[in-house]
Amino acid sequence: MKKLIIANWKMNPKSFKEAEKLVLAISKTKATQHVVICPPFVYLSLLKTKLELGAQDMFWQNNGAFTGQVSAEMLKQFKVKYAIIGHSERRALGETDNEVNLKVKAALANKITPVLCVGYGLSHDMADEEVMQHLQNQLEAALYAVDPKKVIVAYEPVWAISTGDPYKTKNIENPDHAERICMFVRIKFKVAKVLYGGSSNALNAQSFLERQIDGLLVGGASLKAEEFNQIITIKI
Ligand code: PGA
């Protein structure tokens, strides 16, 4: 079965021209895995591509007086099939578990698959049991009154994001740790898929993908066409 590789471009690239170039270089490549691109909102509606698209966030109301927000109902008009929800960079700005839960429900009500990120608040020296307890609390809140089978979870230990090297900060072999945690989430919460995210790149992607991990949420490495193309053409 194909693994799911989701590109989280965050607030990049700087110009729409660069975004077009990047998406063209990716779409020309014959991917062996299932690819989804999550560009910034302003580029989403303009990018002409056959690649599947996702949003990096969304609001839980469909319309109304909510300055600066973008709804799932708006997104789905632009063929957006996925929405990253609860990313640690948003939680760091104050997003709560309750808001994450409202967003997950709104995504599903609009037939958008939520890519629910968990792992904010973790530190690299926590034992697996402590990590599991922390994630359990986050997941119970985010999945309250939600059908978990329709949700994709991304395990993104916050300490591993944007370091450039997910092995650096952890003594144990990170892919083994990631696999143990992903399996825990899949078995305990019965979600559709569990991805890993945090400094995955062309050098380490294979080591995650050959384990029982359903795919990757890729940040920095998804902005370099050549490197991202290496990841999406991996053979497992
Ligand atoms: P990174 O980001 O791959 O640059 O660490 C992953 C993410 O934040 O989704």
Side-chain angles (χ1 to χ4, degrees):
M1 191 144 101
K2 284 185 179 178
K3 302 273 173 150
L4 179 59
I5 313 289
I6 303 184
N8 177 11
W9 284 4
K10 308 192 180 185
M11 202 169 69
N12 299 293
K14 277 188 192 162
S15 71
F16 179 61
K17 248 197 173 121
E18 287 171 83
E20 274 185 311
K21 229 171 105 183
L22 186 53
V23 100
L24 186 68
I26 296 165
S27 54
K28 273 191 192 154
T29 303
K30 215 171 157 17
T32 51
Q33 310 302 333
H34 183 168
V35 181
V36 175
I37 309 288
C38 300
F41 284 135
V42 281
Y43 300 156
L44 253 180
S45 59
L46 298 172
L47 281 174
K48 290 188 179 44
T49 177
K50 286 200 177 110
L51 291 167
E52 282 196 321
L53 293 172
Q56 296 176 18
D57 186 29
M58 45 155 279
F59 196 55
W60 59 84
Q61 296 280 2
N62 272 338
N63 66 291
F66 303 103
T67 303
Q69 301 289 7
V70 175
S71 71
E73 199 169 270
M74 292 168 179
L75 291 168
K76 71 180 180 190
Q77 297 169 50
F78 297 97
K79 299 194 182 117
V80 170
K81 294 208 174 128
Y82 300 82
I84 297 172
I85 293 174
H87 191 280
S88 61
E89 286 153 13
R90 298 212 56 84
R91 292 184 194 251
L93 293 173
E95 187 160 278
T96 65
D97 280 336
N98 181 45
E99 289 168 347
V100 170
N101 175 248
L102 290 171
K103 289 181 180 186
V104 168
K105 284 181 184 155
L108 290 172
N110 285 284
K111 299 198 165 41
I112 289 179
T113 302
V115 180
L116 166 64
C117 297
V118 290
Y120 183 65
L122 293 176
S123 71
H124 66 90
D125 51 4
M126 281 179 175
D128 276 8
E129 294 66 37
E130 212 179 333
V131 172
M132 288 172 189
Q133 187 56 56
H134 187 90
L135 296 184
Q136 185 166 332
N137 296 343
Q138 253 172 25
L139 283 159
E140 277 170 1
L143 295 175
Y144 177 72
V146 165
D147 178 0
K149 292 191 295 298
K150 296 184 173 153
V151 176
I152 294 172
V153 169
Y155 168 52
E156 294 209 309
V158 67
W159 52 262
I161 294 179
S162 302
T163 66
D165 180 1
Y167 306 118
K168 205 163 55 189
T169 42
K170 194 122 182 129
N171 292 330
I172 57 165
E173 258 255 296
N174 191 38
D176 286 339
H177 163 78
E179 183 178 50
R180 281 197 297 277
I181 301 298
C182 288
M183 285 176 72
F184 161 76
V185 172
R186 193 182 307 111
I187 292 165
K188 177 105 191 155
F189 287 91
K190 310 210 168 16
V191 293
K193 287 181 193 295
V194 189
L195 317 179
Y196 168 78
S199 298
S200 57
N201 56 37
L203 290 177
N204 61 36
Q206 178 108 28
S207 68
F208 290 105
L209 295 177
E210 67 194 10
R211 286 174 163 77
Q212 294 197 51
I213 295 174
D214 300 316
L216 293 168
L217 181 53
V218 187
S222 72
L223 293 165
K224 301 169 205 148
E226 205 179 312
E227 175 158 16
F228 190 63
N229 285 340
Q230 282 176 39
I231 298 174
I232 63 175
T233 52
I234 281 176
K235 291 190 183 72
I236 307 147

